Amino acid sequence: MDRRTLLLGGLAALGAGALSGCSREGSAATGARHILRLALNQTETHPSYIALDAFSKSLFEATGGEYTIDIFPNEVLGAQQEILNLQRNNIVDLAIISSTQLENINEDFRVFNVPRVFDSVAHQMDVITNPEISGELFGSLEASNNLLVLGGFTQGERNIYAAKEVATPADMAGLKVRVQESPVMLRMIEAMGGSPTPMAYGEVYTALQAGVLDGAENNEVSYFTQKHYEVAPVFSYTKHLVGFDYMVASAKSLHDMGPEMRAVFDEEWGKAMQHFTELWATSTQEAIEGAKAGGATFAEIDTAEFDAQLTPLAESLLTSDVQKRIFQQTKEAAA
Ligand code: GCU
């Protein structure tokens, strides 16, 4: 049995309490009476982990020792799609899930995944934290999937990296580029001229190394913390998407907290989102320096030829009334 199977078997057994309606007990090790399990696919050096670790401690303090969070980093509980299933069944309480994954459950989430929907991280955070724009969407998975979206963390601008510079769609021809597992991400790389290959995050390094992939797309922080620069040393600023990571909660786990504890949780979580946004800018700089020291180069390019493909693509991908309304509100929020 591998480590993940063992871990999940153990969690499922412990989670039976939560499934039958009793709350999950904390342990002497943490000192908290209740433990929320959080799944993350990043390393302990990624700013998500750092902000979540601080959130766990502040939650413990603010709830007078009632609640803490146990973070499982490095995709140890599974890739994001698998984690959503564990959350539906209350085996995992909280998870950081890339926004592209939720589109596979409710297509309206696509509105925040289309190229160029956000102008900047500040614009994105304004929209995500504005309940008039995103509130209904974020509550839309509760009845059907036991999932609640609680805002989250920016992924910053995503860009292409490979063994060579990518400055135009012609440079993308024949390039096998890893994408997150969503139809929009496939369409986006096709529109940019490449051949998309969907794959879970944790498999990308090995696939680049083995030549199964020629490139991938992500932000500088993932490029550095996942060590992708070692196997794809040229990072080209295509700036095709400002991505987002949702904090997804198992709805039952949150309801079980009761209104008083839930209010404290929400307040501390709001502070954690701000903390992350502050960390993001410095982490990005550090990632650039670190990757350069490891031999990577960063290429600023003229994105005009990509823009000409991506702008009409974004419009063609928005088909439902909900998507169109949220898109319009998002654009108005930038003005
Ligand atoms: C970023 C993001 C992750 C996502 C990953 C990916 O690192 O923060 O949530 O899984 O990109 O490309 O899969």
Side-chain angles (χ1 to χ4, degrees):
M1 227 190 274
D2 65 14
R3 185 162 168 245
R4 182 179 300 173
T5 315
L6 272 172
L7 204 53
L8 287 177
L11 286 186
L14 286 168
L19 284 171
S20 62
C22 334
S23 68
R24 193 169 287 140
E25 296 296 306
S27 72
T30 64
R33 276 180 282 280
H34 306 278
I35 295 179
L36 300 170
R37 295 176 193 136
L38 187 149
L40 179 69
N41 66 359
Q42 310 288 3
T43 61
E44 290 93 330
T45 52
H46 191 282
S48 301
Y49 184 91
I50 296 166
L52 290 165
D53 188 47
F55 173 43
S56 168
K57 295 187 173 106
S58 69
L59 186 68
F60 181 80
E61 298 282 319
T63 58
E66 283 291 320
Y67 279 90
T68 191
I69 298 172
D70 201 358
I71 307 170
F72 292 83
N74 296 312
E75 222 172 70
V76 71
L77 297 182
Q80 292 179 342
Q81 287 194 338
E82 296 151 357
I83 296 300
L84 287 170
N85 268 326
L86 297 176
Q87 292 195 280
R88 287 191 182 98
N89 296 314
N90 280 97
I91 292 171
V92 167
D93 306 292
L94 301 167
I96 298 296
I97 303 284
S98 188
S99 65
T100 50
Q101 303 290 348
L102 295 191
E103 179 188 328
N104 297 323
I105 309 178
N106 171 2
E107 278 199 1
D108 288 337
F109 276 93
R110 173 177 294 182
V111 61
F112 293 145
N113 299 338
V114 299
R116 306 282 152 72
V117 56
F118 300 115
D119 299 348
S120 63
V121 171
H123 174 216
Q124 181 184 53
M125 290 311 293
D126 282 349
V127 169
I128 295 285
T129 55
N130 182 342
E132 280 177 28
I133 306 182
S134 54
E136 222 176 292
L137 181 67
F138 289 178
S140 68
L141 305 178
E142 182 174 2
S144 54
N145 286 272
N146 184 41
L147 300 173
L148 273 176
V149 175
L150 309 177
F153 299 151
T154 190
Q155 295 177 4
E157 265 164 356
R158 297 182 69 112
N159 305 281
I160 304 275
Y161 44 88
K164 60 165 193 176
E165 182 177 320
V166 167
T168 63
D171 296 333
M172 290 277 279
L175 229 58
K176 282 175 276 151
V177 178
R178 178 268 174 170
V179 290
Q180 301 175 77
E181 308 93 317
S182 104
V184 166
M185 296 302 119
L186 284 166
R187 297 272 302 276
M188 192 180 63
I189 292 300
E190 275 164 9
M192 292 174 78
S195 304
T197 304
M199 191 179 284
Y201 187 52
E203 291 164 23
V204 178
Y205 183 96
T206 316
L208 285 167
Q209 193 178 37
V212 174
L213 295 171
D214 301 310
E217 56 80 52
N218 220 311
N219 53 51
E220 296 94 331
V221 175
S222 286
Y223 184 55
F224 180 59
T225 55
Q226 294 292 311
K227 300 191 164 58
H228 291 172
Y229 63 91
E230 293 178 354
V231 280
V234 187
F235 189 98
S236 304
Y237 278 105
T238 48
K239 303 180 183 170
H240 48 271
L241 180 74
V242 180
F244 200 74
D245 275 334
Y246 292 123
M247 170 70 111
V248 179
S250 156
K252 182 178 181 308
S253 305
L254 286 194
H255 292 318
D256 283 352
M257 293 181 91
E260 203 184 313
M261 286 292 144
R262 174 68 198 276
V264 178
F265 176 95
D266 287 346
E267 193 176 337
E268 295 307 314
W269 168 237
K271 291 185 206 160
M273 280 196 273
Q274 278 175 20
H275 178 203
F276 179 89
T277 308
E278 287 157 21
L279 280 176
W280 185 252
T282 43
S283 301
T284 300
Q285 270 319 310
E286 285 164 14
I288 295 171
E289 296 313 322
K292 278 185 182 165
T297 53
F298 289 80
E300 285 293 347
I301 60 160
D302 176 356
T303 62
E305 282 190 46
F306 288 122
D307 295 349
Q309 304 301 320
L310 292 174
T311 308
L313 174 70
E315 280 158 23
S316 75
L317 287 168
L318 302 174
T319 49
S320 79
D321 290 345
V322 176
Q323 291 167 341
K324 287 180 188 163
R325 184 208 8 107
I326 297 178
F327 187 79
Q328 173 148 9
Q329 286 175 306
T330 301
K331 288 296 166 193
E332 282 164 12

